[in-house]
Amino acid sequence: GRGTSTPALARIATKACVVHTDNVSTTSVVHNFNTLDVIVQIVEVASGATVIGDVTRTDVNTVSVTLLGAIGNGAYRIIVTG
């Protein structure tokens, strides 16, 4: 069945993407929400634009985000909401 809930406060974890000069950058974010039901966004800091990357829910407390291309220091931020 379909379940809904309204949390008093959203739980949010953020982390900058790992700096990488090769063609692939993978960053793990430990959020400790104890659920696979999380929403992951990747934001380009300079423009505020949401970008597309590969997201894997590694376990109930961790997501892994992979981006293609060179990643500069502070260029992208990963936001996990759950």
Side-chain angles (χ1 to χ4, degrees), residues 44-60:
E44 182 182 36
V45 173
S47 68
T50 300
V51 299
I52 303 299
D54 291 331
V55 175
T56 303
R57 288 153 182 86
T58 310
D59 59 40
V60 296

Side-chain angles (χ1 to χ4, degrees), residues 15-18 26-31 56 58 62-66 78:
K15 183 174 183 177
C17 287
V18 173
T26 301
T27 304
S28 291
V29 180
V30 177
H31 53 73
T56 303
T58 310
T62 309
V63 296
S64 178
V65 175
T66 301
I78 301 165

Side-chain angles (χ1 to χ4, degrees), residues 11-37:
R11 298 173 296 178
I12 299 173
T14 64
K15 183 174 183 177
C17 287
V18 173
V19 175
H20 212 285
T21 56
D22 290 338
N23 290 331
V24 178
S25 173
T26 301
T27 304
S28 291
V29 180
V30 177
H31 53 73
N32 292 321
F33 296 159
N34 197 33
T35 182
L36 293 172
D37 298 332

